[in-house]
Amino acid sequence: MDAATGALLVLVAIVVTLDEWDLHGAFVLIPFLVVALVALLAIRVARSRQAFVIAALVLTGVAMAVLPDWQQTVLRGLGSAAFIAAFFAALTTLRNVAESSPAIRAAGTFLAEQPPGRRYAALTVGSHLFALLLNYGAISLLGNLATTSAAQEPNAEIRRHRIRRMLLAIQRGFVSSLPWSPLGFSMAITNALIPGARWADSVSAGFVSAGIILVAGWALDTIFKPRLSVPPPPRGPVEGSWGLLRPLLVLLVLLGVTVSVLHNQTGVRIVGVVMLVVPLLSLGWALVQHRGGALAFSMRDRLVRYVTRELPGTRGEVTLLMMAGYIGTVGGPLLGPVVAGAGIDLAALPTWAVLILLVWLVPLLGQLGMNPILAVTLFASIIPAPEVLGVSPSAVVAAIAAGWAISGICSPFTATTLLVGSFARVSALHVGLRWNGVFVGVLGGLLSIWVLIYAFVIG
């Protein structure tokens, strides 16, 4: 069953990638592949994930009873679920190879061992870069290295503060990639939902949002630096040099240049280029790793294990993401009449109010347990078109992506807070509200101001 699940995920990724490159022949298989994949996933996931599958089935029944064009709506929902599964599978290939790279682990260890004066800055910038390759694996890798390093500290008070500050640096560095990274779901989905939006137009605003997150996090960590009851012991020199980051930077430059050139030369959407380039780059990197028998297992064993064990091992996350995309896509047309019947018309609000609402919508819904993918796809249908608001599509994308990043910091139901909480041995709610409460307030205000400046002055 695991082998069949992994094979279906790979097949869905191939078919969706072919469709992105305008090879539409196999796309008719998508509805059947998605239904078969979800059926296999639903058998093996926890009840909390099965609840999303049941909700999707119930919503499908409601759509059949209410919507005259329910067939097209359901097909769009299945297409959305397929795209999310394909994008996820493509990104996991890079994470798989990076996790077996001694160079990547050495770079992470070097960052975690930095002295207190520059540890936060090193970890938060490093986490930002690692997130581009590993996605949530960046938090897993750096979080494990950080807690292992901190465990060597004999003073319990220093160890507690060190773990908290290191994990927050990693979390904030990770979410700072969400407003701009072409390898993140936030930009892939938001640009697909907002009419006229393109990643190339939105990336500049996202870069500034990322900078605001990084600098604000560092500033608050410096301002609220804990006062210790005893002076910290002197630290020895850190082993290694900044040259350990060179392989990571070279890989990121290679990935960025390849994706940009192909996108500009072919006109294929950035996500379509990513879904082709990332697996091919990962395959080439894996071949380099296996060259000369450097690893204890063969390339063939690696591919078999990836399809039959590692991909199926993400079944809970894949189920959640796919169902969030499906429920949001199918639920959007059902939500529109309900909102209109309640007399709510976002187009009647001032544009500045709508943009600020978009910044805060995803974080607020995240407190209620709503996944960002579900929140954005569900409410995209009631967001006024950019031309109605009188702003560029990239301004709307910047607002939603900023909110997506804030949600990754404060929502107790997102993977970022759950992972950080597990490393720190505190609840995700504690991480989101106690550790990050002040940061969320400051960051939300700064990003709201930036979104308005971009919409009305720059964009």
Side-chain angles (χ1 to χ4, degrees), residues 346-358 384-392 395-396 399 451-452 455-456:
L346 295 183
L349 295 176
T351 298
W352 65 265
V354 175
L355 292 175
I356 291 179
L357 176 64
L358 294 180
E387 59 267 22
V388 174
L389 294 174
V391 296
S392 65
V396 178
V451 166
L452 294 182
F456 296 112

Side-chain angles (χ1 to χ4, degrees), residues 94 127-135 177 180-183 252 255:
L94 196 56
S127 179
H128 180 95
L129 298 175
F130 272 80
L132 303 178
L133 292 182
L134 304 179
N135 206 284
S177 69
W180 77 270
S181 172
L183 305 184
L252 289 175
L255 178 62

Side-chain angles (χ1 to χ4, degrees), residues 175 178-180 185-195 197 202 205-206 209 213 354-363 372-384 386 389 392-408 447-448 450-451 454:
V175 300
L178 299 181
W180 77 270
F185 279 106
S186 51
M187 293 302 285
I189 291 175
T190 306
N191 278 290
L193 292 174
I194 302 303
S202 309
S209 295
I213 297 171
V354 175
L355 292 175
I356 291 179
L357 176 64
L358 294 180
V359 172
W360 289 99
L361 180 65
V362 179
I373 293 177
L374 173 57
V376 173
T377 54
L378 183 63
F379 285 91
S381 61
I382 65 171
I383 298 174
L389 294 174
S392 65
S394 59
V396 178
V397 172
I400 296 174
W404 200 311
I406 297 173
S407 180
L447 288 178
S448 296
W450 161 240
V451 166
Y454 179 79

Side-chain angles (χ1 to χ4, degrees), residues 7 11 29 48 87 100 125 132 140 174 182 186 196 224 231-233 297 305 317 335 370 391 394 400 407 422 445 447:
L11 186 56
L29 299 174
S48 60
F87 199 67
S100 64
V125 174
L132 303 178
S140 298
F174 172 85
S186 51
F224 294 104
F297 49 93
R305 185 172 62 187
E317 188 176 357
L335 179 65
M370 192 173 290
V391 296
S394 59
I400 296 174
S407 180
S422 67
L447 288 178

Side-chain angles (χ1 to χ4, degrees), residues 3-244:
T5 302
L8 273 175
L9 269 170
V10 173
L11 186 56
V12 168
I14 292 172
V15 172
V16 172
T17 303
L18 290 175
D19 182 69
E20 287 288 336
W21 285 79
D22 292 329
L23 302 172
H24 298 282
F27 198 72
V28 295
L29 299 174
I30 281 295
F32 307 101
L33 294 176
V34 171
V35 170
L37 177 59
V38 172
L40 283 176
L41 291 170
I43 295 173
R44 303 289 302 280
V45 296
R47 290 184 179 179
S48 60
R49 298 296 186 259
Q50 291 175 344
F52 280 88
V53 179
I54 294 172
L57 292 173
V58 171
L59 197 62
T60 302
V62 174
M64 293 172 65
V66 174
L67 299 177
D69 60 341
W70 66 268
Q71 296 98 331
Q72 295 302 316
T73 301
V74 169
L75 287 175
R76 285 198 304 272
L78 294 173
S80 176
F83 167 77
I84 290 171
F87 199 67
F88 180 87
L91 297 183
T92 55
T93 61
L94 196 56
R95 184 171 66 187
N96 170 275
V97 184
E99 287 175 346
S100 64
S101 169
I104 295 298
R105 181 164 291 274
T109 302
F110 175 75
L111 294 174
E113 295 291 343
Q114 290 300 302
R118 58 173 181 262
R119 185 185 299 135
Y120 183 97
L123 274 175
T124 200
V125 174
S127 179
H128 180 95
L129 298 175
F130 272 80
L132 303 178
L133 292 182
L134 304 179
N135 206 284
Y136 291 110
I139 299 179
S140 298
L141 173 64
L142 293 177
N144 182 59
L145 294 173
T147 51
T148 300
S149 172
Q152 301 173 10
E153 171 59 56
N155 185 299
E157 180 188 13
I158 296 176
R159 183 170 63 249
R160 184 178 68 255
H161 288 304
R162 183 176 175 183
I163 289 175
R164 179 182 63 84
R165 295 174 69 192
M166 291 174 78
L167 290 176
L168 287 180
I170 294 167
Q171 182 191 23
R172 294 168 183 177
F174 172 85
V175 300
S176 67
S177 69
L178 299 181
W180 77 270
S181 172
L183 305 184
F185 279 106
S186 51
M187 293 302 285
I189 291 175
T190 306
N191 278 290
L193 292 174
I194 302 303
R198 298 191 318 133
W199 177 83
D201 299 329
S202 309
V203 65
S204 58
F207 269 136
V208 177
S209 295
I212 291 172
I213 297 171
L214 292 172
V215 173
W218 170 82
L220 286 180
D221 177 79
T222 302
I223 294 170
F224 294 104
K225 184 178 181 179
R227 297 180 178 179
L228 301 175
S229 58
V230 294
R235 304 280 178 183
V238 179
E239 294 184 6
S241 68
W242 294 101
L244 290 171

